[in-house]
Amino acid sequence: MQKREIRFEYDVCKSIDELNESDQSLLESAREVTKKAYAPYSEFLVGAVALLENGATVSGTNQENASYPVGICAERVLLASAAMIHTNVPIKTMAIAYHNLNGDSNFPVSPCGMCRQSIHEYEDRTNHPIRLILSGMTGEVMIIEKASLLLPMSFGSSELRSVK
Ligand code: THU
């Protein structure tokens, strides 16, 4: 038997001010777009904005439903829009922010498991890593160079095709 280890590194900035201009503007937009979230049940407003390889930006917010499991996260709203409006165009960077109406919004949160799987598929289908910028409305910012780092030992299309 052997032990194996998976580890990854990511960057943390004290605030948005430490980011370059392009990343700052993306995160500002993600914070701003939280206003368009439809989250009357959780009151946890999530905003995501992506910069695509063609220079376009696409955004998404969480869209909840009275039948709770029907709700969809901001990241997957964004990915569905990007896939339709800019088909096959890779996403370079996605900024994700949240505004918790019932608590603090001053530290980064990372995408849920279902969104990690969806983002991973998007990276796979466009053959391009997606850089993540994660933050609340204020405070620290986490930068993760490839979203797939958040989903080690992931299941993907290559497993389906595998003949092992
Ligand atoms: N949510 C997102 O939009 N993205 C995530 O990555 C985590 C959670 C939404 C789902 C739900 O509408 C609310 O946040 C509380 O879970």
Side-chain angles (χ1 to χ4, degrees):
M1 200 171 1
Q2 53 172 213
K3 289 252 183 280
R4 293 181 182 173
E5 190 189 346
I6 298 173
R7 58 185 294 279
F8 75 96
E9 292 181 346
Y10 58 95
D11 296 309
V12 184
C13 296
K14 285 225 171 310
S15 83
I16 192 171
D17 303 330
E18 283 182 34
L19 301 178
N20 67 34
E21 219 174 292
S22 157
D23 288 350
Q24 274 191 25
S25 129
L26 213 57
L27 178 54
E28 270 164 14
S29 305
R31 286 174 173 173
E32 181 66 23
V33 86
T34 59
K35 291 182 186 150
K36 293 195 185 177
Y38 176 68
Y41 306 105
S42 70
E43 298 192 321
F44 190 86
L45 317 179
V46 184
V49 178
L51 174 64
L52 278 58
E53 191 110 287
N54 63 3
T57 54
V58 175
S59 56
T61 60
N62 51 334
Q63 301 294 318
E64 296 187 347
N65 193 283
S67 174
Y68 292 1
V70 176
I72 176 166
C73 293
E75 296 89 329
R76 281 174 293 129
V77 169
L78 182 158
L79 292 177
S81 298
M84 286 305 299
I85 302 168
H86 301 281
T87 312
N88 298 328
V89 179
I91 292 174
K92 281 178 28 175
T93 304
M94 188 192 300
I96 306 165
Y98 69 95
H99 186 183
N100 182 0
L101 299 182
N102 299 305
D104 294 329
S105 308
N106 55 4
F107 53 90
V109 298
S110 51
C112 79
M114 206 184 263
C115 289
R116 291 177 198 209
Q117 183 73 25
S118 272
I119 297 169
H120 173 59
E121 181 92 17
Y122 214 91
E123 290 184 322
D124 205 37
R125 72 192 257 195
T126 56
N127 198 23
H128 193 283
I130 299 178
R131 195 166 149 266
L132 296 180
I133 300 175
L134 309 174
S135 190
M137 299 305 280
T138 57
E140 281 192 348
V141 181
M142 282 179 3
I143 296 132
I144 295 162
E145 283 308 321
K146 303 175 195 184
S148 54
L149 292 170
L150 289 179
L151 199 64
M153 302 180 81
S154 58
F155 182 83
S157 59
S158 54
E159 275 69 46
L160 287 177
R161 285 194 292 265
S162 157
V163 288
K164 271 182 261 166

